[in-house]
Amino acid sequence: MRVLDYPAEVRGILSFDFDGTLFLPENEVVLEPVFYETIEKLRQDGWLWAINTGRSLLFMLEGFEQSSFPFSPDFLVAREREIYTPGDRFGRWHRLEDWHENYMRDTAHFMKESAGFIDLMKQYIEDETAAQWIEEEGDPAGIIASSEDEMIVIAEFVEEQRKSYDLVGVLRNSIYMRFTHKDYHKGTSLQELARRLQVPVERVFAIGDGHNDIDKLHPDVAGMIACVGNSQQEVKDYVSSHGGYVAKAHGSLGSVEALNYFLA
Ligand SMILES: [Mg+2]
């Protein structure tokens, strides 16, 4: 993947979710070339771009391959909160360590304060649901539900229980849910990028399709918010009730449609 030359002047930042918003694995063309053409033009006008995904870095690198990315994004936010820049022409990525250290410190505090909540959730999932409890290296804890309907039931239980725990954040996407410190999600990582680039909120564009994108579609995070035509209904409702644009087209074509709506 090429790394594009850094623009002389930064005009703003464009943030894309990956799965569903750009990448549609069920389609013959998983990511339409017109997306790259549109981005390359906007990039020449000084718009930097980021992928904000729930995927891990390694899983995202696979996604870049599968969708034949011709050039890399300026930023990659993996697992909703690890911020990377394409470091060099050999394709190595650099994690922003100061931000990551803050995350590690806050997460240690979260784990201590919320241990009762995590225990309670684990017991509930194992005893009362068909869902799976997961604990992965570097992640506090998570759930894989047996169906989207089951996830709705679990989400209601979680909302009720977390009222007594101030630090619990919930990242949810279809049958997946992860628990995290409430200050680390797609919204705060995008705000951190804008802060570093000194880009005001009016010049932040954000688009997604799933529940975990709602954090970055908040008007405090992005002045231009959108979702693709294949988004979850909850996301469409959120975007239209916050003055955003709901694209008709799906995946990367929907993303291009939204870019044209705001920036053409
Ligand atoms: Mg998605």
Side-chain angles (χ1 to χ4, degrees):
M1 266 194 314
R2 281 185 288 141
V3 177
L4 298 176
D5 291 335
Y6 204 78
E9 204 186 324
V10 174
R11 287 192 57 189
I13 182 152
L14 316 169
S15 160
F16 302 86
D17 163 53
F18 184 64
D19 291 279
T21 304
L22 296 178
F23 182 61
L24 293 176
E26 65 275 21
N27 284 9
E28 202 178 322
V29 180
V30 292
L31 211 161
E32 297 285 342
V34 64
F35 173 75
Y36 301 122
E37 290 156 20
T38 307
I39 289 290
E40 200 158 11
K41 272 193 215 121
L42 288 166
R43 189 62 176 53
Q44 282 161 7
D45 290 340
W47 292 90
L48 298 182
W49 72 298
I51 300 271
N52 285 52
T53 179
R55 289 187 179 215
S56 66
L57 175 65
L58 277 181
F59 188 28
M60 188 57 230
L61 297 183
E62 245 174 65
F64 284 143
E65 287 228 355
Q66 287 169 342
S67 43
S68 320
F69 265 58
F71 51 85
S72 67
D74 298 291
F75 300 96
L76 166 58
V77 183
R79 296 205 277 196
E80 283 106 355
R81 38 79 183 162
E82 288 169 7
I83 305 177
Y84 295 88
T85 54
D88 55 38
R89 62 203 168 84
F90 304 110
R92 293 185 202 113
W93 292 78
H94 290 307
R95 188 169 64 192
L96 299 188
E97 290 305 330
D98 53 343
W99 171 252
H100 187 67
E101 276 161 27
N102 290 346
Y103 166 77
M104 293 298 280
R105 184 200 57 218
D106 291 344
T107 298
H109 179 56
F110 157 79
M111 289 300 279
K112 216 168 124 200
E113 294 286 305
S114 317
F117 172 83
I118 297 289
D119 288 346
L120 179 86
M121 284 311 303
K122 186 177 180 186
Q123 203 173 7
Y124 163 73
I125 291 301
E126 291 181 343
D127 296 351
E128 292 176 51
T129 72
Q132 195 188 337
W133 180 258
I134 37 170
E135 281 172 29
E136 277 176 356
E137 171 90 37
D139 245 337
I143 296 165
I144 304 175
S146 61
S147 66
E148 301 234 8
D149 286 344
E150 183 179 49
M151 180 49 85
I152 292 169
V153 177
I154 292 172
E156 276 170 18
F157 182 80
V158 167
E159 285 313 310
E160 194 51 41
Q161 298 303 320
R162 77 166 167 148
K163 284 178 188 158
S164 8
Y165 295 89
D166 294 341
L167 295 184
V168 175
V170 176
L171 301 173
R172 189 180 140 198
N173 195 12
S174 76
I175 58 166
Y176 304 96
M177 178 182 277
R178 298 210 316 278
F179 300 113
T180 176
H181 187 291
K182 65 168 175 50
D183 291 342
Y184 293 87
H185 48 70
K186 287 193 182 189
T188 48
S189 11
L190 180 51
Q191 278 176 318
E192 177 65 11
L193 288 183
R195 189 187 69 79
R196 283 175 190 256
L197 297 167
Q198 296 181 299
V199 166
V201 69
E202 313 86 78
R203 283 188 276 136
V204 178
F205 167 92
I207 186 164
D209 74 317
H211 195 273
N212 63 343
D213 292 309
I214 290 178
D215 293 317
K216 73 167 190 172
L217 300 174
H218 193 281
D220 289 348
V221 177
M224 296 172 275
I225 58 170
C227 65
V228 288
N230 52 308
S231 298
Q232 288 170 1
Q233 190 56 44
E234 205 179 334
V235 179
K236 289 183 178 176
D237 294 344
Y238 183 89
V239 167
S240 49
S241 65
H242 288 76
Y245 181 74
V246 178
K248 281 168 208 70
H250 292 196
S252 55
L253 293 178
S255 290
V256 170
E257 185 187 324
L259 288 170
N260 287 336
Y261 174 80
F262 284 110
L263 298 169

